[in-house]
Amino acid sequence: MIVGRREVWTGRLFLVLLMTVTVVPFISLFVTALHPAGSYPQGLQWPSDPQWGNFAEAFRLSNMGELLKSSALIVVGVVPVAVVLATMAGFAIGHLRMVGARAVFLLFVFGLTLPYEGIITPLYYLVRDMGMLNTRWAIILPLIGLFMPFAIFWMRAHFINVPDELSEAAEIDGANVWQLFWRIHVPLAMPAISSLAILLFLWTWNQFLLAIVLVDDPTSRTMAGALGAFQGQWGTNIPLLCAGSLLILAPTLIIFLIFQRRFVAALLQGSVKG
Amino acid sequence: MARAIPGRAIGMAKTATAAKTNGRAVRRPRHRSRQKAAWLFTAPALVAYAVFVLYPMGLTMQYSLYDWDGVGPSTWVGLDNYAQVFTDPELLDTILHAFELILYFCAVPVVLGLAIANTIRGIATTRLALAARTVLFVPQVIPLVAAGITWSWLLASDDLVNQVLSAVGLGGVTRAWLGDFGTALPAVGVIGAWVLLGLCTLLLLAGMSKIDPTLYEAARIDGAGPLREFFSITVPSLRQEIGVCVTVTVIAALASFDIIYISTQGGPGNSTMVPGLQIYRLAFFSREVGLASALAVVLMVLVLACVLPIQRLTREAR
C-alpha cells in the first residue's frame, strides 16, 4: 500500500487522541477517588495527600464481597444453562435440520431486536406471580430466555457450516444422536461456544434494567445493578462514589485484559463473520 | 444495555449468508429418530424463550389495551392508551428525544469511526495500533452505568470538560452540561458516542482489512487523492460493516436506558426523557401499566421499523 509519511503521522496522532479520550475518564475517576471523602475536587488534580483508604472504605460500604458473590452466582446460573440450551437448539436447527427448523429459527430471530424495556412490565408481574421477586432467580431465568435469540443465532451459524459427512460417519459407527452431539459436535464447536460464553458473561454482569426492577436488595443483584444503588446512596460523596465505581468495574476490566484477544474477537466476529 | 444490543443486532446481519448456505445444502434423507431428537434438542430453548420473552410480549400488548394501576381491577379502554402516546406532548417528546439520540449514538460514531479507521489503516500493524485495539474496547466492556457515572462527573460545572474548554479559550461556553435544558440531551449523546465509537472503529477497521489493496494502488496510479479514494473505494466496500454499525447504534439509541437513568434521570424537566425510562416510570412509579405498555409496544415497533430497512439495504449489497 502506498501511504505518505504525513498520512502515517496524522494517523498516529489521531490514534493517540482517540486513546486519550477513551482513557481520560478513567484517570479522572481514579484521581478523584484519591481526594478526601466528602470534598468536591476539580478536574484532573493530583491530591496533595492521596487518600488510598477511600478504596477500602468503598469496598466496605458497597459490601463488595457480597456483590462479587451475588454477581458470580447470577453468571453461574445464566451462562452455562443458556450456552447448553442454545448449543443444543443451534445443533438441531443448523445441523439436524428437522422439518420446521426454518420456522422455529425465524421465531427466534424475531426476538433479536427486542428492547428489554418492551417486556419489563409483564416480566415484573410474571416473576412476582412465580414467587421469585427479590431473589436471584428473578434475574437468572428471564435472562436465559432473553439470551436465546442471539445465542441460537450464533450457534446455528456455526453448525450450518459443519459437513454432514461427519455425522454420517459417526452414525455408521453406531452413535446415536445424543452421542453424536456430545462426542463429535460439541468438542468441534468449542471456539464458537467459548466466544458465546464470553459475550453472555459480559451481558449478564452488566445487566442493569432487570436488576433494578426485579430485585430490591442491591447485594442480590448484578454488578451493574449494585453500582446503580451505590450511586443512589453515595452520589453526593464524589470521591467515595468514584472509588466505588472503580472497584465495581474492576472485575470486568481485569477479565477483559486477561482475555482481551478473545473478547475483541468474539465481539467483532459476531458481526464480520457473516 | 448497549452491550446486549451489539450482539443481538449483529446476529441479524448474518442471516443472509446463513440462509444462502441453507439453500445450497444437499438434503439428506431424514430419519424419524433424528426428527424426534431434533425437536427434543430445541424444546428447552423454546420453552425458556416462550415463557420469558414471547408470553410477556403478548402480555404487553394485552396490558396496552387496558387502564390498570397494577393492583386493582383493570378497565378495557381499547386504543385510548395509544392515542395518548401520540397526542400527549410529554410522551411524544420522549420518542423525538430517542430519534435525536440516533444522531449522537449512531451518526457520530459511524462517521468519526470511518474517518479514524481510514486514517489508521496504513499503520494497522504497528504496536500503537495493537494497543489501541485494547484501549478502544474498554468502554464496551464496562457497565453503561459506570460510563454514566464517570461522564456525569466529567461534564459537571467545574470539571474536566469545562477546564479543557477554558484552556483553549472557550471559557464562554462552559456550563453544567447535563443540567442545562439546551445541552442535556447532546451531553447524554456524547456519553453514548464515547461508548460506541470504539466498537464502530474496530468493526470498520476489520472491514477495511478485507479490501483488496490493489484497488488502492490502481486508484493512486490513476491519480486519485486520499479523499477520492475514501469515497470511491473505502466507503462502498464497507457497506456491510456500516450496516452493522448503524443497526447496533440505532437500537442503542432507541432503547437507551442505563446511561440516562444514571446521568440525568430524564431531567432537567423532561429534556432527556426517553421511551425506555418513561416506560419504567409509568409502570413502576405512576402505576399506569396500560399506558406504559402502549409506549412499550410503540418502542418495539419503532425499533423494528428502523432496523428492518437497514438490514434490507445491507443484504442487497451481497
Side-chain angles (χ1 to χ4, degrees):
Chain A
M1 212 180 299
I2 311 162
V3 184
R5 265 187 68 131
R6 226 173 81 201
E7 276 179 62
V8 172
W9 282 104
T10 12
R12 286 183 185 208
L13 198 68
F14 251 121
L15 210 49
V16 170
L17 197 71
L18 188 65
M19 286 164 77
T20 314
V21 173
T22 308
V23 164
V24 158
F26 294 100
I27 297 174
S28 161
L29 210 58
F30 181 70
V31 171
T32 310
L34 292 176
H35 281 79
S39 68
Y40 196 79
Q42 294 186 356
L44 276 181
Q45 237 172 27
W46 188 257
S48 46
D49 176 24
Q51 307 281 313
W52 296 99
N54 282 348
F55 286 103
E57 185 72 0
F59 192 96
R60 196 175 59 76
L61 289 174
S62 66
N63 221 338
M64 192 68 187
E66 281 295 306
L67 293 189
L68 280 172
K69 202 181 94 192
S70 174
S71 305
L73 280 175
I74 293 174
V75 166
V76 167
V78 172
V79 178
V81 178
V83 167
V84 169
L85 294 193
T87 308
M88 284 169 56
F91 173 69
I93 296 170
H95 189 74
L96 299 178
R97 289 177 213 158
M98 70 283 198
V99 178
R102 190 156 171 76
V104 174
F105 182 59
L106 284 177
L107 187 69
F108 281 113
V109 169
F110 172 68
L112 274 175
T113 60
L114 172 80
Y116 290 9
E117 297 100 319
I119 58 166
I120 191 66
T121 317
L123 218 44
Y124 174 84
Y125 292 107
L126 189 67
V127 162
R128 189 192 65 181
D129 293 343
M130 290 175 164
M132 302 186 305
L133 212 57
N134 296 326
T135 68
R136 292 190 188 96
W137 294 110
I139 301 174
I140 294 173
L141 294 178
L143 270 188
I144 293 175
L146 282 161
F147 285 159
M148 279 307 112
F150 174 74
I152 286 174
F153 211 106
W154 180 274
M155 290 319 301
R156 176 191 176 269
H158 164 80
F159 283 117
I160 203 109
N161 291 316
V162 176
D164 272 349
E165 289 75 13
L166 209 64
S167 300
E168 278 155 19
E171 275 172 341
I172 290 168
D173 289 343
N176 62 29
V177 180
W178 188 247
Q179 291 165 328
L180 186 69
F181 176 67
W182 284 107
R183 302 243 180 105
I184 312 283
H185 289 283
V186 168
L188 283 174
M190 272 336 269
I193 290 175
S194 55
S195 296
L196 179 65
I198 285 175
L199 293 176
L200 296 188
F201 156 75
L202 195 63
W203 298 337
T204 306
W205 193 267
N206 291 342
Q207 178 53 42
F208 182 62
L209 181 66
L210 293 189
I212 60 165
V213 171
L214 303 174
V215 177
D216 272 337
D217 175 12
T219 53
S220 300
R221 288 179 180 169
T222 59
M223 268 307 184
L227 181 53
F230 191 79
Q231 193 233 18
Q233 208 173 347
W234 303 97
T236 47
N237 192 338
I238 302 287
L240 210 58
L241 176 66
C242 291
S245 305
L246 276 176
L247 283 183
I248 287 177
L249 64 84
T252 24
L253 262 190
I254 293 168
I255 293 178
F256 168 66
L257 291 176
I258 297 173
F259 297 109
Q260 47 166 307
R261 290 239 167 108
R262 294 221 59 106
F263 261 93
V264 176
L267 272 160
L268 289 185
Q269 214 180 31
S271 44
V272 195
K273 203 162 112 197
Chain B
M1 189 74 58
R3 286 17 121 51
I5 290 143
R8 284 191 285 148
I10 284 164
M12 293 197 78
K14 283 197 293 197
T15 343
T17 327
K20 256 189 263 161
T21 325
N22 196 9
R24 253 188 272 121
V26 187
R27 299 270 160 184
R28 68 174 154 275
R30 289 199 174 82
H31 308 294
R32 198 171 271 268
S33 66
R34 265 203 178 188
Q35 283 284 318
K36 216 176 102 193
W39 278 102
L40 286 176
F41 271 70
T42 319
L46 260 179
V47 170
Y49 180 56
V51 172
F52 292 105
V53 180
L54 294 179
Y55 176 56
M57 220 185 261
L59 282 180
T60 302
M61 288 177 208
Q62 191 198 340
Y63 292 171
S64 74
L65 303 172
Y66 287 85
D67 182 24
W68 186 36
D69 63 3
V71 188
S74 51
T75 328
W76 168 267
V77 292
L79 296 177
D80 280 9
N81 288 323
Y82 291 94
Q84 199 179 335
V85 169
F86 289 111
T87 50
D88 185 335
E90 205 167 289
L91 294 177
L92 204 55
D93 271 355
T94 66
I95 296 173
L96 296 179
H97 292 155
F99 276 98
E100 196 180 326
L101 282 183
I102 291 181
L103 194 68
Y104 306 102
F105 280 52
C106 172
V108 172
V110 172
V111 172
L112 208 57
L114 263 177
I116 294 162
N118 186 56
T119 330
I120 63 181
R121 175 170 49 88
I123 57 162
T125 51
T126 61
R127 202 178 290 165
L128 180 67
L130 291 176
R133 281 178 82 90
T134 306
V135 172
L136 293 181
F137 242 71
V138 168
Q140 274 294 310
V141 297
I142 63 163
L144 283 174
V145 182
I149 291 179
T150 312
W151 276 92
S152 15
W153 173 233
L154 285 175
L155 290 164
S157 58
D158 341 304
D159 214 75
L160 198 62
V161 170
N162 282 330
Q163 285 182 358
V164 170
L165 286 176
S166 303
V168 296
L170 287 170
V173 299
T174 61
R175 71 195 72 199
W177 297 94
L178 287 165
D180 190 300
F181 276 85
T183 59
L185 197 59
V188 168
V190 166
I191 309 178
W194 177 78
V195 171
L196 293 163
L197 179 62
L199 178 73
C200 287
T201 306
L202 289 203
L203 264 173
L204 295 168
L205 254 178
M208 282 178 190
S209 69
K210 290 191 297 192
I211 303 175
D212 186 355
T214 54
L215 275 178
Y216 288 107
E217 274 162 31
R220 292 252 157 156
I221 289 163
D222 287 347
L227 216 60
R228 181 70 196 272
E229 196 181 77
F230 177 69
F231 285 108
S232 306
I233 300 175
T234 312
V235 174
S237 312
L238 288 178
R239 222 170 131 167
Q240 188 200 337
E241 281 78 11
I242 294 174
V244 173
C245 286
V246 172
T247 309
V248 169
T249 52
V250 163
I251 296 179
L254 291 178
S256 53
F257 178 84
D258 306 23
I259 290 177
I260 292 169
Y261 177 93
I262 288 297
S263 61
T264 64
Q265 291 274 348
N270 205 33
S271 58
T272 57
M273 187 58 81
V274 287
L277 187 56
Q278 186 71 273
I279 291 166
Y280 171 75
R281 280 206 173 168
L282 286 173
F284 301 108
F285 293 94
S286 324
R287 301 235 147 247
E288 295 189 61
V289 175
L291 190 56
S293 301
L295 186 57
V297 172
V298 171
L299 176 63
M300 291 191 275
V301 171
L302 276 179
V303 170
L304 271 181
C306 290
V307 166
L308 288 182
I310 303 167
Q311 290 296 322
R312 272 190 71 147
L313 278 176
T314 45
R315 202 171 294 186
E316 276 163 20
R318 316 252 197 117

